[in-house]
Amino acid sequence: MDIEITALEKTFEHRDRAIFTNLDAIFYAGKVSVILGKSGIGKSSLLNLIAGIDLPDKGEIRIGSHLMSGMDDARRTLFRRRHIGFVFQSFNLIPVLTVMENITLVGQLDGRPDKDIRRRAASLLETVGLSDRQGEFPDRLSGGEQQRVALARALINDPAVILADEPTGNLDKETGTAVLEMISTQARQLNKTLIMVTHSPDALAWADEVYTVENAALVPGNTI
Ligand SMILES: Nc1ncnc2c1ncn2[C@@H]1O[C@H](COP(=O)(O)OP(=O)(O)O)[C@@H](O)[C@H]1O
Ligand SMILES: [Mg+2]
């Protein structure tokens, strides 16, 4: 599904300037879109808006034919669960669940058969190289390992949209390359819409489209 953002405006309370004043963008299915920008400029906020975790003050975000602001909270949650895989900058793993449980939970909430979910979770864990850690709790894993669990969790429902916030930020070069190859392949071969926030030159090499957040908007290219 393509993602189309029109005239997006957003201001956070207690912040004197708007974070976005008039942001337009289109992200295409099957493409790897990379978003750059200085720290604190609004990259994570933009992903939150696209995912419907946060709502714009004005403007529209459409994912396929679905208008995010046209859904109530409950429908937006269901939509996100089914269609959006979000790799959070800070992982957001649930500490009292094992690696396997963290990954399968979202699939169970989406009502998929348990056996299918577990099979897919096992395969994703193998792809990210963590098959032997499935019974472990997140606090026993390194940052890089947690990041790979977060990636496997984001992909469990085979989402049409993947939003990845600095997904290689905690990874060594080799693991980072494996992760980039995995999500980029998801986008290109399975026609998913991948939007990745990153500073990594390695990640930039995978980009089909590059944008920079600046002046409260999204501009084409790497302007940093
Ligand atoms: N929910 C929120 N409420 C208030 N301010 C926020 C919220 N989320 C982000 N901000 C502020 O918006 C700015 C951009 O944050 P963020 O999107 O995390 O930047 P980036 O990901 O580009 O580093 C920061 O000044 C941050 O403090
Ligand atoms: Mg951020």
Side-chain angles (χ1 to χ4, degrees):
M1 295 189 279
D2 293 344
I3 298 177
E4 186 165 5
I5 303 179
T6 319
L8 179 76
E9 292 185 29
K10 180 72 182 175
T11 304
F12 288 121
E13 254 177 85
H14 313 301
R15 215 171 169 273
D16 45 347
R17 281 189 299 128
I19 189 139
F20 302 121
T21 49
N22 193 357
L23 186 150
D24 294 295
I26 301 183
F27 302 102
Y28 294 102
K31 300 269 187 217
V32 178
S33 298
V34 164
I35 295 181
L36 305 166
K38 294 192 187 108
S39 176
I41 200 82
K43 303 179 298 296
S44 298
S45 304
L46 180 58
L47 294 188
N48 285 338
L49 288 162
I50 293 170
I53 293 168
D54 199 1
L55 289 174
D57 300 331
K58 286 188 185 161
E60 288 186 350
I61 298 172
R62 270 178 205 281
I63 301 184
S65 60
H66 307 272
L67 179 63
M68 294 306 277
S69 53
M71 302 180 208
D72 62 21
D73 283 354
R75 282 197 48 214
R76 211 163 35 244
T77 299
L78 289 176
F79 181 87
R80 184 164 56 243
R81 192 180 288 160
R82 174 142 311 170
H83 299 294
I84 300 179
F86 203 128
V87 188
F88 293 95
Q89 191 167 11
S90 48
F91 322 133
N92 290 7
L93 298 176
I94 300 173
V96 296
L97 299 182
T98 64
V99 164
M100 180 55 106
E101 289 163 348
N102 262 282
I103 298 171
T104 53
L105 176 66
V106 195
Q108 286 160 345
L109 289 173
D110 201 39
R112 291 171 195 246
D114 229 42
K115 226 172 117 189
D116 295 358
I117 302 167
R118 286 189 69 86
R119 196 180 310 126
R120 184 166 166 81
S123 147
L124 286 166
L125 273 174
E126 194 178 333
T127 312
V128 298
L130 290 174
S131 290
D132 55 338
R133 311 302 294 277
Q134 56 172 279
E136 211 87 79
F137 288 96
D139 66 355
R140 300 281 304 276
L141 304 181
S142 72
E145 288 168 337
Q146 291 183 45
Q147 192 151 39
R148 285 180 280 153
V149 175
L151 177 66
R153 177 183 58 182
L155 298 178
I156 188 71
N157 285 338
D158 196 21
V161 174
I162 303 170
L163 306 176
D165 203 348
E166 315 220 9
T168 60
N170 291 279
L171 304 179
D172 59 71
K173 195 173 166 70
E174 191 184 338
T175 314
T177 301
V179 162
L180 288 166
E181 183 168 2
M182 178 180 174
I183 50 177
S184 303
T185 303
Q186 291 266 326
R188 290 178 186 156
Q189 292 183 0
L190 304 177
N191 204 38
K192 297 176 187 298
T193 316
L194 169 61
I195 306 178
M196 175 162 56
V197 168
T198 185
H199 296 286
S200 145
D202 292 339
L204 265 171
W206 287 90
D208 297 308
E209 315 274 357
V210 178
Y211 304 93
T212 305
V213 179
E214 66 173 27
N215 299 329
L218 195 66
V219 300
N222 176 358
T223 67
I224 293 179

